[in-house]
Amino acid sequence: MVPSTGVRIAMHVALFRFTRTLVQVLQGIYLTMHYVPDIAAQYESVDYLQHEVAFGLVYRTAFPWNVAGEIVGLVCLGILFDYAYRRAKRN
């Protein structure tokens, strides 16, 4: 049995949201393990994270890009659902 188009879109949206949330949680855990929340040593902590931790710079710069990508993805999904709703309502 093949699911309808709406169900397939909903499944893709759920998978997309779950994957993005899982990536952000794992990145947050990784960054939290190496970050020291001390105001006086904040620069040294971020510098250590960027230069001493393996792939620290990649993880630190990828986190904001993931958030921006999620926002853009949600906007695109909203446009897709709005278009699909208007098209279904027209018919």
Side-chain angles (χ1 to χ4, degrees):
M1 181 173 157
V2 177
S4 67
T5 305
V7 172
R8 282 187 290 162
I9 290 175
M11 288 172 29
H12 283 94
V13 169
L15 182 63
F16 173 76
R17 290 288 303 145
F18 177 74
T19 305
R20 299 294 284 186
T21 303
L22 184 65
V23 167
Q24 285 186 349
V25 166
L26 292 176
Q27 280 184 336
I29 289 170
Y30 183 79
L31 291 173
T32 302
M33 290 184 339
H34 297 286
Y35 181 72
V36 178
D38 183 19
I39 293 175
Q42 186 175 15
Y43 177 78
E44 288 82 11
S45 178
V46 172
D47 188 54
Y48 169 76
L49 180 65
Q50 287 182 347
H51 297 102
E52 302 297 325
V53 175
F55 301 107
L57 183 62
V58 174
Y59 282 114
R60 187 174 178 278
T61 56
F63 195 73
W65 283 104
N66 281 336
V67 172
E70 186 170 346
I71 292 170
V72 169
L74 289 174
V75 168
C76 290
L77 287 172
I79 292 169
L80 176 72
F81 278 127
D82 187 46
Y83 175 74
Y85 174 73
R86 286 185 185 174
R87 187 172 181 190
K89 190 175 178 182
R90 219 180 309 152
N91 293 335

